[in-house]
Amino acid sequence: MGELLTAVTSDVQQLFRQEAALAKAEVREEAAKAGKAAGMYGGAGFAGSMVALFASLAAVFGLANVMDAGWAALIVTGVWTVVGAVLFVKGRARMRQVSPKPERTVETLKEDAQWARHPTE
């Protein structure tokens, strides 16, 4: 009886270690997704500001040759507004794919709990 109890205890300990390892792996995977999405937000902001600065100046000066400089600046601003909006929407879509809950771990824990309640089924 003692050996059986020791074996069951050992198996339960091993099961919990495996569950913890699975949870860590899932959290790490989701953190990587979140990091990539955050990087896209940061990249969009930095690229947008640099592009807006230099390309806008070049475009405004180029358009100012064929129209009033104020209208040229307004057109260029509108173009960069659209670019920024597209990058924001793409980054937000990526961020929504991130799941903070370790799905597989929760599922296997439910299975383990059910097995613990009815080990012979």
Side-chain angles (χ1 to χ4, degrees):
M1 184 70 161
E3 289 178 25
L4 182 60
L5 186 58
T6 302
V8 169
T9 303
S10 174
D11 288 346
V12 168
Q13 287 175 346
Q14 182 180 2
L15 180 63
F16 280 119
R17 281 193 295 270
Q18 289 172 343
E19 293 296 343
L22 178 60
K24 285 179 187 178
E26 282 188 80
V27 168
R28 203 174 305 123
E29 184 178 313
E30 291 303 313
K33 283 184 190 177
K36 288 178 184 178
M40 287 188 153
Y41 277 136
F46 179 73
S49 64
M50 295 305 292
V51 167
L53 177 65
F54 295 112
S56 295
L57 286 174
V60 167
F61 289 134
L63 286 174
N65 289 327
V66 294
M67 65 177 67
D68 183 52
W71 285 109
L74 189 60
I75 290 170
V76 170
T77 300
V79 168
W80 292 122
T81 300
V82 170
V83 169
V86 167
L87 289 171
F88 175 79
V89 168
K90 285 185 174 265
R92 184 178 61 183
R94 284 269 176 116
M95 189 59 86
R96 287 182 176 168
Q97 293 176 352
V98 174
S99 173
K101 184 171 72 170
E103 300 289 339
R104 293 182 303 222
T105 301
V106 170
E107 185 61 35
T108 57
L109 283 173
K110 286 178 185 177
E111 291 172 4
D112 295 344
Q114 185 173 354
W115 174 84
R117 279 187 229 114
H118 308 288
T120 57
E121 291 180 13

